């Protein structure tokens, strides 16, 4: 049924995670902040991440330093996003830096998988 390799599938998951992270950043920094949309998008990115965690736990070839670095960068971004959403900590500069770190980790991961 599926012809994609575990690496291709997890790379798709990570692409979706990064795209949702970009969306959440844009939503929380926009002038027309829609809290419901941000919460929905945040829940979506967390669900995708949980699926990716399971995929990586299942397939040993996905347990690489680059995968771990992406997860680490995402988790820090996600933590800071929650600080912005649920506390009075609107440190958008730090959140943007964390988004950039997630992007760099995604690019390194893509290069290490040598799929593109």
């Amino acid at each position: 049924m599926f012809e994609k390799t575990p690496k291709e599938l997890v790379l798709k998951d990570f692409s979706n995670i990064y795209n949702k992270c970009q969306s959440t950043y844009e939503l929380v920094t926009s002038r027309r902040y829609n809290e419901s949309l941000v919460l929905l998008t945040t829940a979506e990115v967390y669900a995708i991440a949980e699926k990716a965690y399971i995929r990586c736990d299942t397939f040993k070839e996905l347990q690489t330093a680059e995968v771990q670095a992406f997860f680490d960068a995402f988790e820090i971004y996600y933590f800071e996003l929650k600080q912005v959403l649920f506390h009075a900590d609107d440190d958008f500069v730090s959140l943007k830096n964390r988004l950039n770190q997630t992007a760099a980790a995604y690019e390194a991961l893509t290069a290490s998988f040598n799929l593109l």
Side-chain angles (χ1 to χ4, degrees):
M1 178 178 189
F2 293 104
E3 295 182 18
K4 294 190 180 215
T5 66
K7 285 183 178 182
E8 291 170 323
L9 291 170
V10 83
L11 199 58
K12 180 181 175 217
D13 290 340
F14 289 158
S15 175
N16 289 331
I17 289 169
Y18 176 64
N19 288 333
K20 292 288 183 185
C21 287
Q22 285 181 307
S23 296
T24 57
Y25 177 79
E26 291 170 11
L27 287 167
V28 297
T29 58
S30 72
R31 291 191 320 210
R32 295 183 181 183
Y33 184 91
N34 182 328
E35 186 174 317
S36 296
L37 187 55
V38 173
L39 292 175
L40 177 63
T41 307
T42 301
E44 288 174 342
V45 73
Y46 188 77
I48 296 167
E50 283 297 310
K51 180 178 73 166
Y53 288 133
I54 292 168
R55 192 181 313 275
C56 290
D57 194 43
T58 303
F59 297 99
K60 298 293 184 198
E61 68 265 27
L62 300 178
Q63 297 171 8
T64 66
E66 293 84 6
V67 168
Q68 184 64 49
F70 180 83
F71 276 129
D72 291 345
F74 165 71
E75 288 174 352
I76 294 169
Y77 173 83
Y78 185 77
F79 174 78
E80 289 204 14
L81 177 63
K82 290 190 307 185
Q83 294 298 102
V84 169
L85 291 174
F86 302 117
H87 304 285
D89 183 11
D90 290 346
D91 189 351
F92 297 127
V93 172
S94 181
L95 190 63
K96 180 65 172 177
N97 288 337
R98 299 303 182 177
L99 181 60
N100 291 339
Q101 290 173 354
T102 303
Y106 176 74
E107 289 176 15
L109 176 67
T110 301
S112 76
F113 281 175
N114 203 22
L115 293 175
L116 298 177

